[in-house]
Amino acid sequence: MPNTKTHFLVGAAIGAVAYCIIKKSQDQPIELPGLFGMGLVGGVAGLLPDIIEPATSPNHRELAHSFAALIAVGAGINNLNERQDMDSAQKGLWNILALGYISHLFLDAGTPAGLPII
Protein backbone atom coordinates (compact mmCIF):
# COMPACT_ATOMS: atom_id res chain seq x y z
CA MET A 1 0.00 0.00 0.00
CA PRO A 2 1.39 3.45 -0.90
CA ASN A 3 2.53 5.44 2.10
CA THR A 4 2.96 9.18 2.64
CA LYS A 5 6.45 9.19 1.13
CA THR A 6 5.27 7.39 -2.01
CA HIS A 7 2.28 9.72 -2.45
CA PHE A 8 4.53 12.77 -2.06
CA LEU A 9 7.27 11.53 -4.39
CA VAL A 10 4.89 10.46 -7.15
CA GLY A 11 2.99 13.76 -6.91
CA ALA A 12 6.29 15.68 -6.95
CA ALA A 13 7.55 13.81 -10.01
CA ILE A 14 4.27 14.44 -11.82
CA GLY A 15 4.38 18.13 -10.87
CA ALA A 16 7.95 18.51 -12.16
CA VAL A 17 7.26 16.68 -15.41
CA ALA A 18 4.03 18.63 -15.97
CA TYR A 19 5.94 21.89 -15.40
CA CYS A 20 8.48 20.89 -18.06
CA ILE A 21 5.75 19.94 -20.52
CA ILE A 22 3.89 23.21 -19.93
CA LYS A 23 7.05 25.30 -20.36
CA LYS A 24 8.11 23.46 -23.53
CA SER A 25 4.63 23.78 -25.04
CA GLN A 26 4.86 27.55 -24.51
CA ASP A 27 8.45 27.72 -25.88
CA GLN A 28 9.63 29.05 -22.51
CA PRO A 29 12.79 28.00 -20.68
CA ILE A 30 12.61 25.55 -17.80
CA GLU A 31 13.81 27.35 -14.69
CA LEU A 32 15.12 25.53 -11.64
CA PRO A 33 13.01 27.44 -9.07
CA GLY A 34 9.86 26.75 -11.11
CA LEU A 35 10.79 23.09 -11.51
CA PHE A 36 11.30 22.61 -7.77
CA GLY A 37 8.31 24.77 -6.90
CA MET A 38 5.90 22.85 -9.11
CA GLY A 39 7.41 19.59 -7.89
CA LEU A 40 6.63 20.70 -4.34
CA VAL A 41 3.09 21.72 -5.35
CA GLY A 42 2.52 18.31 -6.96
CA GLY A 43 3.95 16.53 -3.93
CA VAL A 44 1.73 18.36 -1.46
CA ALA A 45 -1.29 17.84 -3.73
CA GLY A 46 -0.44 14.12 -3.71
CA LEU A 47 -0.97 14.19 0.07
CA LEU A 48 -4.29 16.08 0.02
CA PRO A 49 -6.68 13.09 0.09
CA ASP A 50 -5.00 11.83 3.28
CA ILE A 51 -4.98 15.34 4.76
CA ILE A 52 -8.72 15.62 4.09
CA GLU A 53 -9.43 12.04 5.23
CA PRO A 54 -6.60 10.86 7.49
CA ALA A 55 -5.80 7.16 7.40
CA THR A 56 -7.07 6.42 10.89
CA SER A 57 -8.29 2.97 9.87
CA PRO A 58 -8.01 0.64 6.87
CA ASN A 59 -11.51 1.77 5.83
CA HIS A 60 -10.77 5.52 5.87
CA ARG A 61 -11.53 6.02 2.20
CA GLU A 62 -14.67 8.02 1.66
CA LEU A 63 -15.50 10.97 -0.61
CA ALA A 64 -11.97 12.43 -0.89
CA HIS A 65 -10.68 8.97 -1.90
CA SER A 66 -13.44 8.08 -4.37
CA PHE A 67 -14.15 7.77 -8.06
CA ALA A 68 -16.58 10.66 -7.54
CA ALA A 69 -13.65 12.85 -6.40
CA LEU A 70 -11.64 11.72 -9.43
CA ILE A 71 -14.45 12.70 -11.78
CA ALA A 72 -15.05 16.01 -9.95
CA VAL A 73 -11.38 17.02 -10.09
CA GLY A 74 -11.15 16.05 -13.76
CA ALA A 75 -14.30 17.98 -14.66
CA GLY A 76 -13.17 20.99 -12.63
CA ILE A 77 -9.83 21.13 -14.41
CA ASN A 78 -11.50 20.76 -17.78
CA ASN A 79 -13.76 23.74 -16.99
CA LEU A 80 -10.87 25.76 -15.58
CA ASN A 81 -8.78 25.25 -18.71
CA GLU A 82 -11.58 26.72 -20.82
CA ARG A 83 -11.69 29.96 -18.81
CA GLN A 84 -10.48 33.08 -20.56
CA ASP A 85 -9.89 35.15 -17.41
CA MET A 86 -6.91 33.09 -16.20
CA ASP A 87 -3.41 33.18 -17.62
CA SER A 88 -1.40 30.10 -18.51
CA ALA A 89 0.66 30.23 -15.29
CA GLN A 90 -2.49 30.12 -13.15
CA LYS A 91 -3.93 27.29 -15.22
CA GLY A 92 -0.63 25.42 -15.00
CA LEU A 93 -0.61 25.67 -11.21
CA TRP A 94 -4.19 24.36 -10.95
CA ASN A 95 -3.44 21.55 -13.41
CA ILE A 96 -0.44 20.45 -11.35
CA LEU A 97 -2.51 20.53 -8.16
CA ALA A 98 -5.15 18.39 -9.84
CA LEU A 99 -2.60 15.93 -11.24
CA GLY A 100 -0.98 15.52 -7.82
CA TYR A 101 -4.36 14.84 -6.22
CA ILE A 102 -5.31 12.40 -8.99
CA SER A 103 -1.98 10.58 -8.61
CA HIS A 104 -2.94 9.75 -5.02
CA LEU A 105 -6.25 8.29 -6.17
CA PHE A 106 -4.60 6.18 -8.88
CA LEU A 107 -2.05 4.80 -6.41
CA ASP A 108 -4.79 3.94 -3.94
CA ALA A 109 -6.96 2.38 -6.66
CA GLY A 110 -4.24 -0.21 -7.17
CA THR A 111 -4.45 -1.47 -3.59
CA PRO A 112 -6.70 -4.34 -2.42
CA ALA A 113 -9.08 -1.80 -0.80
CA GLY A 114 -9.39 0.14 -4.07
CA LEU A 115 -11.53 3.27 -4.24
CA PRO A 116 -15.18 3.58 -3.32
CA ILE A 117 -17.57 4.95 -5.93
CA ILE A 118 -18.67 7.74 -3.54
Side-chain angles (χ1 to χ4, degrees):
M1 179 178 303
N3 59 19
T4 301
K5 181 178 177 181
T6 302
H7 284 303
F8 180 83
L9 291 175
V10 170
I14 288 171
V17 169
Y19 169 80
C20 293
I21 291 169
I22 291 166
K23 287 297 191 179
K24 284 299 180 183
S25 73
Q26 298 170 346
D27 289 327
Q28 295 178 353
I30 295 169
E31 299 170 345
L32 202 54
L35 180 66
F36 283 120
M38 291 303 106
L40 180 60
V41 167
V44 171
L47 301 176
L48 281 177
D50 283 340
I51 292 170
I52 296 167
E53 292 173 349
T56 56
S57 74
N59 298 319
H60 75 282
R61 295 180 186 164
E62 293 181 11
L63 185 58
H65 284 86
S66 68
F67 283 108
L70 180 64
I71 292 167
V73 170
I77 283 301
N78 185 51
N79 289 336
L80 181 135
N81 284 322
E82 293 176 3
R83 290 179 58 168
Q84 301 299 317
D85 62 332
M86 295 179 73
D87 65 28
S88 60
Q90 291 170 317
K91 289 179 182 179
L93 174 65
W94 282 106
N95 278 289
I96 290 170
L97 281 165
L99 289 170
Y101 191 100
I102 289 169
S103 74
H104 184 110
L105 299 180
F106 273 99
L107 287 170
D108 282 359
T111 65
L115 294 179
I117 303 254
I118 294 180

